[in-house]
Amino acid sequence: MLCIFCACDSTYSRSVEHIMPESIGSKKRLLPRGVVCDKCNNYFSRKVEQPILNHPWMRNIRAWEQIPNKKGRYQSLVGHIAGTNVSVNMRRAPNGNIQLDTECGGDRATLKKIIAENFSQPLIYTIEDDELPKREMSRFLCKMAFEAIAEVFFRAPQGTSPLSSEPYFNNIRKYVRYGDNFKEWPFSQRRIFPHDTLIRHPLTKEWVYAGFGCGLFMNKRHETLFGFIFYGVEFVINIGGPSIIGYHEWLDDHAGISPMVERLGCYLERTEDNRYYLHGSFDISKGLEFDKKHGYST
C-alpha cells in the first residue's frame, strides 16, 4: 500500500487517520491503516491541525460545547480581562469547580489582584466568527478534502494507491504535505445557522446540537468541491486547484442554499422563542455520527 500523500510504502504504518480531527469529536470518519503513513499523520497533527484547533474561535467552541480531545481532556475557554490585553482561560475541573488562569504566566499577578478585588474588572469571553488564518485554514480544509476523496476510493476495487500518483491531485497533495507550491488556496467561509442550533437525534429522537460534518459535491464546471460545517459555520474549498469562483457560481445557481444542508433536503426553522432547529434527515450522506450532546457528523 502507498501513502496517498507522500507515496511511500505505508503497508506497515500503524496510524488510523481521522478525516475530521478526533479532537473535535469525530469518531467514525476513519481511513484504515496505511492509507496515510505514520510520518504524514504525525506531521498533519502538529503542523496542519493544531494551528486551527488552537485558534481562539475553534478553541472556544470546543470548550463551550465541552468536546473532549482524543485524550479525553476538555479545552479551556479563553477570554481577557476587560480593558487589558491579559488573556485568561477558564476550565471546569473534574470536581466541578471553575479554574481560572492566565495564558501567560507573567500575567498571574494581575489576575490575582482582580479576583482579590471581587472582579473589579470583568472577564470577557466571546464566541465570534473570527476571520481564520487563510493559509492555515486552507491547508486544514485541503487535508480533510483529499482524505474524503480517499474514503470514496477505498471502497473501489483499485483502492487508494492510485491517489498517490494521479496528476489531478498533484497540487492538493503537495499543498497539504509541504505547503510550498501556492501562497494561498482560497476558500469560502460563511455562517449558515447559529452555533446552538438543534437537530433531532435519529435514534433517541432527542434534540441535540448540530455539530460538525463534511462532504463532497460537484458544480457545473465539473469541479469537485469539499464542504465542512463546524457548529453552523460552513467552509467550502475546491479540490482541483486554488480557485473558489466555481463555488460562487454554484451559490448563484442554487439561490445561495448550503450544499451541506438544503441540498440534502433539510431546512432551518426559527421559533418564536428565537431557538433554531434543523429539520430533515441526513441519511443520504455516509458515515453519520451522533451522540447525546454534539449532534451529527456527516
Side-chain angles (χ1 to χ4, degrees):
M1 180 177 286
L2 300 179
C3 172
I4 61 172
F5 286 99
C6 70
C8 75
D9 184 352
S10 55
T11 303
Y12 300 105
S13 290
R14 302 177 62 184
S15 300
V16 175
E17 177 72 355
H18 290 75
I19 295 175
M20 294 176 289
E22 189 176 4
S23 291
I24 68 170
S26 180
K27 303 294 184 183
K28 270 192 175 181
R29 300 292 290 276
L30 305 175
L31 294 177
R33 290 179 174 85
V35 175
V36 178
C37 73
D38 293 337
K39 187 174 181 179
C40 286
N41 186 297
N42 292 333
Y43 174 82
F44 296 147
S45 177
R46 293 181 293 106
K47 299 295 186 179
V48 177
E49 295 180 347
Q50 283 305 314
I52 297 302
L53 294 175
N54 291 333
H55 185 276
W57 173 75
M58 184 170 281
R59 171 178 170 176
N60 277 2
I61 291 182
R62 292 168 60 208
W64 186 264
E65 302 296 344
Q66 288 291 276
I67 304 171
N69 64 18
K70 57 186 177 183
K71 294 182 179 180
R73 300 171 183 167
Y74 294 97
Q75 185 63 268
S76 61
L77 193 70
V78 63
H80 67 277
I81 299 174
T84 75
N85 293 323
V86 176
S87 296
V88 179
N89 63 60
M90 175 174 62
R91 71 170 73 244
R92 187 182 298 275
N95 61 6
N97 292 335
I98 298 297
Q99 296 178 335
L100 294 174
D101 199 358
T102 55
E103 294 285 282
C104 176
D107 291 328
R108 285 176 180 152
T110 302
L111 177 61
K112 288 181 179 179
K113 181 176 181 293
I114 296 299
I115 295 174
E117 295 172 350
N118 197 25
F119 293 97
S120 55
Q121 292 171 261
L123 307 182
I124 299 175
Y125 295 89
T126 62
I127 300 178
E128 299 178 355
D129 292 349
D130 294 338
E131 190 73 22
L132 292 164
K134 294 187 181 301
R135 180 173 172 80
E136 289 80 1
M137 188 64 194
S138 64
R139 292 186 74 197
F140 179 77
L141 292 171
C142 282
K143 178 259 180 191
M144 292 190 292
F146 192 47
E147 291 180 352
I149 292 287
E151 184 182 37
V152 175
F153 269 70
F154 187 78
R155 296 192 289 265
Q158 73 271 27
T160 59
S161 290
L163 291 179
S164 62
S165 57
E166 169 56 49
Y168 178 78
F169 298 114
N170 283 348
N171 285 332
I172 194 169
R173 271 199 312 267
K174 189 173 183 182
Y175 186 70
V176 176
R177 186 60 180 86
Y178 306 104
D180 59 0
N181 53 340
F182 297 103
K183 289 184 178 180
E184 62 178 25
W185 194 299
F187 59 88
S188 169
Q189 175 183 341
R190 61 174 183 157
R191 177 163 289 283
I192 57 174
F193 54 78
H195 73 89
D196 56 355
T197 296
L198 300 174
I199 188 171
R200 193 177 292 279
H201 194 292
L203 301 179
T204 67
K205 305 306 179 184
E206 295 177 285
W207 288 102
V208 295
Y209 293 118
F212 55 90
C214 67
L216 302 165
F217 63 105
M218 294 187 71
N219 62 14
K220 64 185 179 184
R221 296 184 180 212
H222 302 290
E223 295 171 332
T224 302
L225 304 172
F226 171 80
F228 171 62
I229 288 181
F230 190 72
Y231 287 89
V233 177
E234 174 202 82
F235 301 89
V236 173
I237 202 159
N238 182 355
I239 290 175
S243 172
I244 200 63
I245 295 173
Y247 177 56
H248 293 155
E249 292 176 348
W250 189 93
L251 288 177
D252 290 341
D253 292 342
H254 293 81
I257 68 170
S258 168
M260 301 295 292
V261 178
E262 291 92 346
R263 186 181 68 91
L264 301 183
C266 301
Y267 66 95
L268 184 68
E269 177 194 27
R270 178 182 178 183
T271 58
E272 292 182 356
D273 59 354
N274 279 334
R275 299 299 300 272
Y276 289 83
Y277 298 86
L278 273 177
H279 296 279
S281 172
F282 288 84
D283 292 345
I284 61 174
S285 296
K286 300 294 183 181
L288 291 174
E289 279 186 47
F290 287 83
D291 63 37
K292 290 184 178 180
K293 179 172 180 167
H294 296 115
Y296 76 92
S297 166
T298 64

